[in-house]
Amino acid sequence: MQSWEQRGPGAAEELRAQHRRTPRPGTASLRAPQDTRHRPAQPLMSLLPMASQWICALATALAWGCAAASSSSFRTAAAPQDLHITDPGLLGSLDIEWKPPPNAQTFNDCTVKYRFEHHSAGDRDWKVIFTKKLKVRAGFDLSRIAEVRVQTLLEGRCTDGAEVRSDWIYATFQVPLQGKLESEVQNFHCIYHDWEYLKCTWQPGLLTPRSVHYGLYYWYEGLDHAVQCDTYVQEHGVNIGCVLQNLSQAEYKDLSICVNGSVATALLRPLYITLRLHNLAKPSPPEQLVVSMPAAQELHLAWTPPSGKTPSQCLEYEVQLAEDDGEDKASWASVSTQMETTLTIYRANQSHVSCVRVRGRTNIFCADQGFWSEWTQECFSVSRKEDKQLFILVPVILSLSSSLIMFMLIGQCKKRSPAGKPLHAPVGC
């Protein structure tokens, strides 16, 4: 039998392990015998965490699928139906109607609106109207094709607060045209003077005989029917213009106008146009312009808004100054103001303001565009400081010169008179 040293340290460890596995005599083993029938339970328990992960993933997928299924019907809204256009005979104001989408009754938790757009063929921009109604009246140039389109807008709980839009539906309208295009009036132009009266002018068409008779008709919301102009502007017996009064009810509304001509020998093409009065306004010039120089290099201007019906809060102004900075020619400088009727300008030392004038027009708060008024006057001259000093010195010098000449003439007269006799001074002495 080998000793522990002869077997080595590894052998000793092996013997100790064998000793532990061999039961001692008279003692029972403390380890219970293993039952191989229960071994499959250990792999099943190890699969439980993996199974729970699959169940969670499946539940998440089902939740997303249910959410998508519940909102999929409102990702796109149904378009309106049966869009059509009718002409009520109001000179270009057409009625446009449509029906709601087929499933509109299911949108209980959403607001249903419509985006309506329209223009006359050839126009670049579309005019937009948002409405909950199913009917709109809009103005068109009936000499061109009227084009409209409308779509449904959904927003609310049924769309999770997002705005959902439908596809567009389209419709067009055109009146039968009569006469040749060259027979239509030319250079039609309107100005709304002082927000008091509208003056429109035109020129006869190229193919129009001298015996033509023109008539202007107009309509705006509030009138029962189209009305004919009763104050015409004539040239050589032909109507070439019209003046319309009392149009305050038509402000900020579509004003539909038709200029039609009649002649016995031919059919003439009518002109249709839709106007907005506030975009045609032309005020009178500002009034009571006062220019002062409180300091050497400071110019103060003040004026009042024009009289009439032009709203003062709807005016902006432009001030022009002609500055002479030592050269032969004066240059114009412009300064704009918004509703202010006073302005202070600080000038350079060399500059000399020889002219000041002011004009006004409707500002962006009341109109998209407008016409400038005439200038306050041709020129409101401002003199230089040295010019004022010269203006004061010249009368003083002239007065002193006159007195000196008178004294010299009196002295000459006394020298010529005989002693003891009075001298009758000639005229002028």
Side-chain angles (χ1 to χ4, degrees):
M1 188 173 183
Q2 295 179 352
S3 63
W4 294 106
E5 290 77 14
Q6 291 174 338
R7 296 185 65 177
E13 291 295 331
E14 184 178 353
L15 288 174
R16 292 191 190 99
Q18 185 177 2
H19 180 72
R20 286 196 297 268
R21 291 194 297 269
T22 305
R24 295 180 181 179
T27 63
S29 175
L30 295 177
R31 180 177 298 176
Q34 294 182 356
D35 189 357
T36 58
R37 291 177 299 176
H38 298 286
R39 288 187 178 184
Q42 184 175 358
L44 180 61
M45 294 298 295
S46 63
L47 290 175
L48 284 178
M50 185 180 299
S52 63
Q53 292 179 0
W54 278 99
I55 292 173
C56 291
L58 181 61
T60 304
L62 288 174
W64 278 102
C66 292
S70 63
S71 61
S72 60
S73 59
F74 303 110
R75 293 297 181 186
T76 58
Q81 305 177 92
D82 194 19
L83 178 63
H84 61 279
I85 306 172
T86 56
D87 183 7
L90 299 176
L91 311 180
S93 290
L94 303 179
D95 290 334
I96 302 95
E97 298 182 73
W98 60 89
K99 294 181 180 179
N103 58 342
Q105 65 274 9
T106 63
F107 304 146
N108 296 327
D109 295 333
C110 269
T111 301
V112 182
K113 296 188 299 183
Y114 302 98
R115 179 186 177 104
F116 171 78
E117 297 187 359
H118 67 97
H119 72 178
S120 298
D123 293 342
R124 177 181 300 178
D125 299 326
W126 293 76
K127 298 179 181 179
V128 182
I129 298 176
F130 294 94
T131 181
K132 295 182 179 180
K133 300 180 180 180
L134 300 173
K135 182 177 180 179
V136 171
R137 175 170 285 176
F140 297 87
D141 177 2
L142 290 186
S143 61
R144 296 180 285 166
I145 300 175
E147 299 178 344
V148 303
R149 61 187 184 187
V150 64
Q151 66 176 175
T152 307
L153 303 179
L154 283 181
E155 186 174 5
R157 293 177 57 188
C158 68
T159 62
D160 296 330
E163 185 181 70
V164 178
R165 302 184 179 188
S166 73
D167 294 332
W168 292 101
I169 59 173
Y170 299 84
T172 60
F173 180 84
Q174 184 177 17
V175 298
L177 298 178
Q178 66 177 24
K180 296 182 179 180
L181 180 61
E182 292 79 6
S183 64
E184 185 180 271
V185 296
Q186 298 179 324
N187 301 327
F188 185 82
H189 182 71
C190 295
I191 296 179
Y192 193 36
H193 292 274
D194 291 323
W195 296 62
E196 293 183 3
Y197 66 94
L198 178 71
K199 184 177 181 180
C200 298
T201 58
W202 60 84
Q203 293 178 354
L206 298 177
L207 300 180
T208 304
R210 294 184 178 180
S211 59
V212 64
H213 176 75
Y214 287 112
L216 183 143
Y217 302 84
Y218 65 96
W219 179 88
Y220 57 86
E221 185 179 356
L223 295 178
D224 296 331
H225 53 82
V227 181
Q228 185 178 6
C229 172
D230 56 5
T231 305
Y232 284 102
V233 178
Q234 292 190 340
E235 184 179 79
H236 305 300
V238 178
N239 294 339
I240 61 165
C242 169
V243 177
L244 300 177
Q245 306 274 358
N246 303 321
L247 293 177
S248 59
Q249 297 298 320
E251 293 174 1
Y252 295 98
K253 298 179 181 179
D254 285 341
L255 176 63
S256 300
I257 289 179
C258 172
V259 180
N260 196 5
S262 60
V263 66
T265 57
L267 293 176
L268 304 181
R269 178 167 296 188
L271 170 72
Y272 294 96
I273 192 168
T274 301
L275 306 175
R276 285 292 185 104
L277 292 177
H278 57 278
N279 290 331
L280 302 172
K282 180 179 180 179
S284 295
E287 301 176 354
Q288 301 179 11
L289 174 63
V290 177
V291 182
S292 59
M293 289 184 294
Q297 304 300 328
E298 187 175 304
L299 190 65
H300 183 74
L301 292 80
W303 61 89
T304 58
S307 58
K309 297 183 179 180
T310 303
S312 59
Q313 71 274 12
C314 288
L315 288 175
E316 65 177 353
Y317 301 96
E318 181 184 19
V319 179
Q320 272 195 349
L321 303 94
E323 294 184 346
D324 182 7
D325 50 5
E327 299 179 1
D328 295 336
K329 294 182 180 180
S331 58
W332 287 96
S334 297
V335 181
S336 298
T337 67
Q338 288 288 346
M339 292 185 286
E340 296 88 355
T341 57
T342 60
L343 181 66
T344 300
I345 301 174
Y346 298 93
R347 301 179 294 157
N349 294 332
Q350 302 87 352
S351 65
H352 162 52
V353 177
S354 60
C355 182
V356 177
R357 56 187 185 181
V358 184
R359 64 178 180 175
R361 71 173 176 184
T362 309
N363 58 33
I364 60 174
F365 303 106
C366 298
D368 298 326
Q369 58 189 15
F371 296 103
W372 283 107
S373 72
E374 304 300 328
W375 293 103
T376 46
Q377 59 186 51
E378 183 63 26
C379 186
F380 192 103
S381 181
V382 179
S383 301
R384 281 185 282 191
K385 185 176 180 180
E386 52 267 30
D387 292 341
K388 290 186 176 182
Q389 294 174 350
L390 180 62
F391 180 77
I392 296 173
L393 290 174
V394 167
V396 175
I397 295 174
L398 290 175
S399 177
L400 292 175
S401 301
S402 300
S403 301
L404 181 60
I405 291 173
M406 290 181 65
F407 281 118
M408 291 178 62
L409 290 175
I410 292 173
Q412 292 293 332
C413 291
K414 287 183 178 180
K415 289 181 181 180
R416 294 176 184 176
S417 61
K421 293 184 179 181
L423 176 67
H424 297 284
V427 178
C429 291

